[in-house]
Amino acid sequence: MSGHLGDLSSDQLQALNELKAHVGTEYPTDEATLLRFLRARSFKVEAAKKQYINQCKWRKENDVDNILNQPPPLDKEMMAIISLGYHKHDRDGRPVYVELTGKIDANKLMELPLSEIMKRHIWHNEKQLRRAEELSKQFGKNIETTTQIHDMTGLNFSHRKCLSIFKHVSKIDQDVYPERVGRVIFVNVPWLFPLLWKIASPLLDPNTREKFVVLGGNEIHKLLDYVEPENLPEIFGGVCKCPGGCMHIVPGHLDSKSADSHGLIQTNIKAGKSLLQEIHCTKGETVYWHYIAASTDIKFRVLWQPEKASQPESIIPLEHVTLESAEGHFAATANGKLIIEFDNSTSTWLSKGIKYRINVDHGS
């Protein structure tokens, strides 16, 4: 049983009735709300009761019920940093929020006071829930979750510092907005995304992580599996053209030049030569690489040589590169040396251009 209204097992129904009796008239609410807290706590009544009552007290102390009567905090500052939009609904009727997350200026964001950023996030949550209520009336069914779409084009290492904000946001969402995530979709994820996700994902409840969808640059069309074309902005592969624009766009955020090429080392490999990069690793470290080749005549391979081994072993066999941006990673299970090779040895006369970047995550 899903634990939603109309789909309850006998044990889940009993837990709901117990929780209703516990909260009584002091903290009245509807059954759908109580079920959200029960699902968040695996239908453990005491844990759900504690979380629900704490949430009620928090809302009262922070006057959250009236927060939408005021403009969103830091609106001028945020609108200069973040391209975003509250845009229609997905195929399940959930309100959709879209954002060009990879284009956010992390340095400017980190200059803003955390307390005001959190107030703005609360305002954002309440706006989405207000939209969910309106869509519930429109479609004649209970809609209590939301959908987010984050375009990660432009993601870079400066965004790592924003993980401190993500930590606070994820905590408040799990403490006082449980079971509100319907789906979070990342699109155009670059080579760096797995590294940052490795750090961020443990901050999320396992049930919440299951609602995250990751789409690469050539998979953006899959958004149409979740949102109808007429409800999806053109920049996300849809056909919607709202009067005045589907979302707020910060000037420069839609520049055609991809930030994926920023920070790459550019070099030419002479005819008959190879470019070797040796990275000494300790156990637990992960090496990430990203390259853009000007010609498919260049070959690429990755070798791994553990500290005690006499010869390296092949991780990626020697093969021709692609013209598109390519990336990969390797996690060291022991101390050793990773060898990344770009091979132009088959060329007799011509040098070949390559752009590449190699980063090591030390696991901290």
Side-chain angles (χ1 to χ4, degrees), residues 85-351:
Y86 297 91
H87 193 267
K88 298 189 176 182
H89 58 81
D90 69 7
R91 291 181 181 271
D92 296 313
R94 301 185 185 103
V96 173
Y97 170 79
V98 293
E99 181 180 285
L100 304 186
T101 308
K103 296 288 188 175
I104 293 174
D105 188 323
N107 293 321
K108 289 182 179 179
L109 181 61
M110 294 303 294
E111 291 174 358
L112 301 177
L114 178 61
S115 60
E116 292 301 299
I117 292 175
M118 295 309 299
K119 288 178 183 177
R120 182 182 177 86
H121 179 68
I122 294 167
W123 187 96
H124 158 83
N125 280 353
E126 294 297 314
K127 179 178 178 65
Q128 282 288 75
L129 297 183
R130 178 74 59 84
R131 294 178 67 211
E133 291 175 3
E134 294 168 354
L135 289 167
S136 295
K137 296 176 182 177
Q138 178 180 335
F139 292 113
K141 63 179 182 179
N142 182 41
I143 297 171
E144 56 184 358
T145 57
T146 67
T147 289
Q148 304 172 35
I149 302 174
H150 296 269
D151 188 336
M152 306 307 290
T153 301
L155 187 73
N156 58 69
F157 267 102
S158 72
H159 290 104
R160 185 169 184 170
K161 62 186 71 175
C162 298
L163 290 172
S164 60
I165 296 175
F166 180 79
K167 179 179 180 180
H168 289 278
V169 165
S170 59
K171 185 177 189 310
I172 200 168
D173 284 352
Q174 291 170 170
D175 287 350
V176 296
Y177 293 101
E179 293 292 306
R180 287 299 194 182
V181 175
R183 188 175 290 115
V184 179
I185 309 173
F186 296 107
V187 300
N188 294 322
V189 295
W191 68 277
L192 180 60
F193 182 84
L195 190 157
L196 297 184
W197 183 240
K198 175 183 174 183
I199 303 170
S201 58
L203 300 173
L204 299 171
D205 179 87
N207 291 332
T208 301
R209 285 200 298 269
E210 292 179 358
K211 301 171 183 177
F212 282 58
V213 178
V214 179
L215 301 177
N218 61 349
E219 296 181 303
I220 194 169
H221 63 280
K222 293 182 180 179
L223 276 177
L224 297 177
D225 294 340
Y226 306 104
V227 185
E228 293 173 327
E230 61 270 25
N231 292 330
L232 190 64
E234 276 191 312
I235 63 171
F236 289 99
V239 297
C240 185
K241 297 180 180 179
C242 291
C246 293
M247 57 188 295
H248 163 75
I249 301 292
V250 175
H253 276 195
L254 290 184
D255 288 350
S256 59
K257 185 176 181 180
S258 171
D260 263 2
S261 63
H262 295 177
L264 297 181
I265 298 171
Q266 183 169 348
T267 188
N268 287 315
I269 306 174
K270 293 181 179 180
K273 301 293 183 180
S274 291
L275 172 65
L276 288 175
Q277 294 293 315
E278 296 185 354
I279 304 97
H280 292 272
C281 308
T282 58
K283 182 179 179 180
E285 291 184 333
T286 303
V287 180
Y288 293 82
W289 60 84
H290 174 212
Y291 68 80
I292 302 174
S295 170
T296 55
D297 287 340
I298 294 177
K299 293 182 178 180
F300 173 79
R301 70 172 173 175
V302 178
L303 304 171
W304 168 246
Q305 185 172 355
E307 202 171 58
K308 297 181 180 180
S310 58
Q311 295 293 329
E313 58 188 76
S314 176
I315 302 300
I316 297 178
L318 193 65
E319 58 188 9
H320 286 286
V321 303
T322 68
L323 286 174
E324 297 179 352
S325 174
E327 62 276 332
H329 66 277
F330 174 79
T333 57
N335 295 345
K337 177 173 64 176
L338 193 72
I339 304 165
I340 296 176
E341 179 180 7
F342 297 97
D343 183 352
N344 192 31
S345 62
T346 58
S347 177
T348 305
W349 306 106
L350 298 178
S351 297

